[in-house]
Amino acid sequence: MNSTPSPEQAPHDVARCACPACQLFRYQRQYGPDPGRALPPPYPPPGYGAPGQETPGQGPPNQSIPGYGTHPGYGAHPGYGPPPGYGPPPPGYVPPPPGYLPAHSAGSDRAVAALAHWTPLVVAVVFAFVIPGFSVFLCFVPPLIVMTTAKSEYVRSHAREALNFQLTVLIPGTVILLLSLAARGFGGVLSLVLFVCCLIVQIMAALKAGGGEQFRYPVCLRFVKRTNG
């Protein structure tokens, strides 16, 4: 007796059943009755998905699928290399000038360097009430003291720049003093203009020094230069 169901009569739910009879029914319904053909293998194949076993006809993913794991976009990303600045310097790189101090350097050096620019203003204001007209001749003393006692080249660089500026101011200060002896009102106006100009540039210099940056006065004669010692 043939237990194989005919194409017209299914034993049960052939859409989901995996028994040989239902598989044969689906096969004959799609391809027609052909006794000479072998039955299709049972579905799913034995051992499919079992741990430690590979599916028949399939190897590891990187062998069965061409290009798997070697896609150009799945390798080392070109932008994920070492950050710029860790290799050799680019062509045309110019190192910072001697005495340059980055912003993260010691705060004590930045404070002392800024002091070399602030103290001449304090001396000018205080001694203007004691010896009017002659205070300009004392403003070079504080940066001179800072320069001679500094242990950091950054501090010496700012103190040297402040000293050169105060020595430069002595030239117009002397002229204004002589004019004030002849015409007190005219000399007083010139003294006020000179003080305001010095106030602006010295505040700029002090802020740069406090931020760890170098500064050069726009109008300044370099009487004292950096030594190699």
Side-chain angles (χ1 to χ4, degrees):
M1 182 177 179
N2 189 4
S3 61
T4 303
S6 63
E8 295 80 5
Q9 182 67 32
H12 35 79
D13 188 2
V14 296
R16 295 182 177 85
C17 183
C19 66
C22 291
Q23 294 185 57
L24 178 61
F25 178 79
R26 292 194 297 268
Y27 181 83
Q28 291 180 349
R29 185 173 61 181
Q30 182 176 0
Y31 299 103
D34 188 358
R37 291 187 180 183
L39 292 177
Y43 181 84
Y48 181 85
Q53 298 183 6
E54 296 181 355
T55 304
Q58 296 184 359
N62 58 350
Q63 297 178 3
S64 61
I65 304 178
Y68 182 86
T70 59
H71 194 276
Y74 288 89
H77 197 278
Y80 285 86
Y86 285 86
Y93 171 77
V94 179
Y100 173 80
L101 187 71
H104 61 271
S105 298
S108 59
D109 289 346
R110 298 198 301 267
V112 176
L115 197 64
H117 301 284
W118 285 118
T119 48
L121 293 174
V122 176
V123 170
V125 172
V126 171
F127 283 90
F129 298 97
V130 180
I131 45 176
F134 292 91
S135 60
V136 67
F137 296 98
L138 300 176
C139 292
F140 72 94
V141 176
L144 178 62
I145 296 175
V146 174
M147 186 186 70
T148 54
T149 58
K151 298 181 180 180
S152 169
E153 177 55 33
Y154 175 73
V155 176
R156 282 194 296 268
S157 175
H158 273 280
R160 184 169 53 249
E161 187 71 11
L163 176 61
N164 285 327
F165 179 72
Q166 297 304 325
L167 293 177
T168 304
V169 173
L170 284 177
I171 299 175
T174 304
V175 175
I176 292 174
L177 178 61
L178 296 177
L179 291 176
S180 63
L181 295 177
R184 182 174 298 273
F186 182 67
V189 173
L190 293 179
S191 299
L192 181 61
V193 172
L194 179 63
F195 176 77
V196 171
C197 294
C198 293
L199 177 66
I200 294 174
V201 294
Q202 285 180 243
I203 289 177
M204 294 172 56
L207 293 178
K208 288 289 186 180
E213 302 179 34
Q214 196 59 267
F215 181 82
R216 290 178 71 86
Y217 286 93
V219 180
C220 181
L221 300 177
R222 267 73 191 185
F223 297 101
V224 182
K225 297 182 179 181
R226 181 177 182 270
T227 59
N228 296 327

